[in-house]
Amino acid sequence: MMHHTRDSRYRNLQDGSQSQRGVRGLDSAQVPMVEEAEMIATTSRELSDGGTPGSSQSSLRASSPPMVMGPNSGRPSDEASHNEVEEHEEPVPSMHDALKLKIVELVYFLLLKYQRKELITKAEILDSVIRDYEEHYPVIFSEASESLKLAFGIDVLEVNPLIHTYVLISSLGITYDGMYHGALGIPKTGLLIMSLCIIFMEGNYVSEERFWEVLSKIGMYDGRNHFLFGEPRKLFTKNFVQEGYLEYRRVPESDPPRFEFLWGPRAHAETTKMKILEFFASVARSDPRSYPDRYADALRDEGERA
């Protein structure tokens, strides 16, 4: 039988007022996460399949329903006849769709640059990706940069403001990108940061059941191969643990055995609770102070590091 204090700790995790706020916060954060995942889905599949940036636009056109033109579609009525065949015309993509495609293409482009460890310039982005949408560059660049950070844990930093040169680095001080674990060549810092968020927001430890419950909201399932990142169980319970970012341990005296996740020593060394809280709050579109217990914990962590 599970030790009584340990068992009550899990009950308190679900019943306490702060825990409930953490649960609601994690659930609300799924919305923007899912939106970003859907936005980069085409890019991700192309990257894993070796596609090209331009192919996303053709696939969107191919999936768009044809516009049916009939006798009342604006053509003169005398042109209509009983043997007239409906004409099918491909719709012109809206500006919203066109910009969304450019954002996807830019995410893809930046991922390739990250893999090659190359600097990027605004001029190169305009020439290779933006092209006829130069007036929308600020929006496209901003949205692509945010998507890259949220989905892959990569920051776009300007290193030369005169010629607008950028470098790509892992977010929040994390030095590991996991490109050699799971699906080769795909940065996994975003998954690692997400796991650190889950653990911290649940009170610095989280049961394995709750951990997978949260991840399932963004399409990551225990034992099911992910089309982009590979087998998630190995990533979270083996690779991230071996790298020192996560601790995956059995709950003492649990019978049947139960397991939980905590931060590992490398996570404590490279990032902070405040950085993780601020990242989570930005994803959940909230203020870090709206999680008072977690904010107080993060402040204590900052004080201990001073």
Side-chain angles (χ1 to χ4, degrees):
M1 178 179 293
M2 182 181 292
H3 193 276
H4 288 299
T5 58
R6 195 70 170 187
D7 192 29
S8 63
R9 194 184 80 169
Y10 275 98
R11 287 197 300 269
N12 291 336
L13 183 63
Q14 298 300 324
D15 297 338
S17 59
Q18 172 59 33
S19 297
Q20 288 300 315
R21 283 193 291 271
V23 168
R24 286 196 298 270
L26 285 168
D27 290 339
S28 67
Q30 305 313 316
V31 176
M33 286 180 178
V34 170
E35 289 175 351
E36 294 292 338
E38 291 174 347
M39 201 282 294
I40 64 168
T42 302
T43 298
S44 302
R45 288 189 175 91
E46 286 173 0
L47 184 62
S48 60
D49 294 339
T52 59
S55 63
S56 62
Q57 189 166 359
S58 59
S59 64
L60 178 71
R61 288 198 299 266
S63 63
S64 300
M67 182 180 297
V68 178
M69 301 292 289
N72 298 322
S73 62
R75 297 175 58 190
S77 58
D78 60 353
E79 292 184 16
S81 64
H82 66 278
N83 62 353
E84 181 178 4
V85 179
E86 288 184 333
E87 296 179 13
H88 296 269
E89 295 185 4
E90 187 176 274
V92 177
S94 67
M95 179 58 70
H96 172 79
D97 289 338
L99 293 181
K100 186 175 180 180
L101 283 171
K102 286 299 174 183
I103 294 168
V104 168
E105 289 181 26
L106 183 52
V107 171
Y108 180 89
F109 178 80
L110 294 174
L111 277 174
L112 291 179
K113 286 293 186 179
Y114 177 80
Q115 291 174 332
R116 297 167 182 170
K117 305 300 180 185
E118 296 177 352
L119 294 175
I120 313 106
T121 65
K122 179 179 178 179
E124 186 179 11
I125 293 173
L126 289 171
D127 182 63
S128 301
V129 181
I130 307 297
R131 293 186 286 275
D132 296 334
Y133 294 84
E134 183 173 354
E135 63 182 299
H136 301 285
Y137 174 84
V139 171
I140 295 171
F141 182 78
S142 176
E143 291 292 332
S145 298
E146 174 138 3
S147 296
L148 198 69
K149 179 172 184 173
L150 182 58
F152 299 100
I154 299 173
D155 285 334
V156 183
L157 298 181
E158 189 172 44
V159 293
N160 189 331
L162 294 178
I163 59 175
H164 301 291
T165 303
Y166 304 92
V167 66
L168 302 170
I169 64 171
S170 297
S171 302
L172 308 187
I174 302 295
T175 61
Y176 164 87
D177 60 23
M179 288 176 62
Y180 297 103
H181 289 144
L184 298 180
I186 306 299
K188 301 171 188 70
T189 312
L191 286 183
L192 175 57
I193 291 173
M194 191 183 306
S195 66
L196 297 178
C197 285
I198 295 170
I199 294 167
F200 177 62
M201 295 305 295
E202 288 285 320
N204 296 310
Y205 53 83
V206 62
S207 68
E208 184 174 18
E209 295 83 1
R210 174 59 177 160
F211 185 79
W212 288 111
E213 177 189 347
V214 176
L215 288 177
S216 69
K217 303 295 180 60
I218 57 168
M220 303 288 293
Y221 299 95
D222 183 10
R224 185 184 304 179
N225 196 60
H226 189 269
F227 78 93
L228 178 61
F229 295 110
E231 210 294 294
R233 166 162 282 276
K234 185 177 180 181
L235 283 173
F236 291 113
T237 65
K238 300 292 185 182
N239 302 138
F240 293 169
V241 171
Q242 291 173 354
E243 291 293 329
Y245 286 104
L246 296 184
E247 183 179 349
Y248 176 67
R249 69 185 186 189
R250 178 177 174 175
V251 176
E253 302 181 48
S254 60
D255 186 19
R258 299 181 66 186
F259 293 84
E260 62 185 0
F261 288 93
L262 299 87
W263 283 23
R266 191 171 171 186
H268 286 287
E270 291 186 356
T271 193
T272 68
K273 293 180 178 180
M274 186 62 76
K275 288 180 180 179
I276 291 296
L277 178 59
E278 290 172 348
F279 179 88
F280 175 82
S282 69
V283 172
R285 298 165 185 168
S286 59
D287 188 291
R289 292 178 178 82
S290 62
Y291 309 97
D293 286 1
R294 300 282 70 79
Y295 188 73
D297 189 2
L299 285 177
R300 285 194 297 271
D301 181 60
E302 295 280 292
E304 292 170 359
R305 293 169 181 268

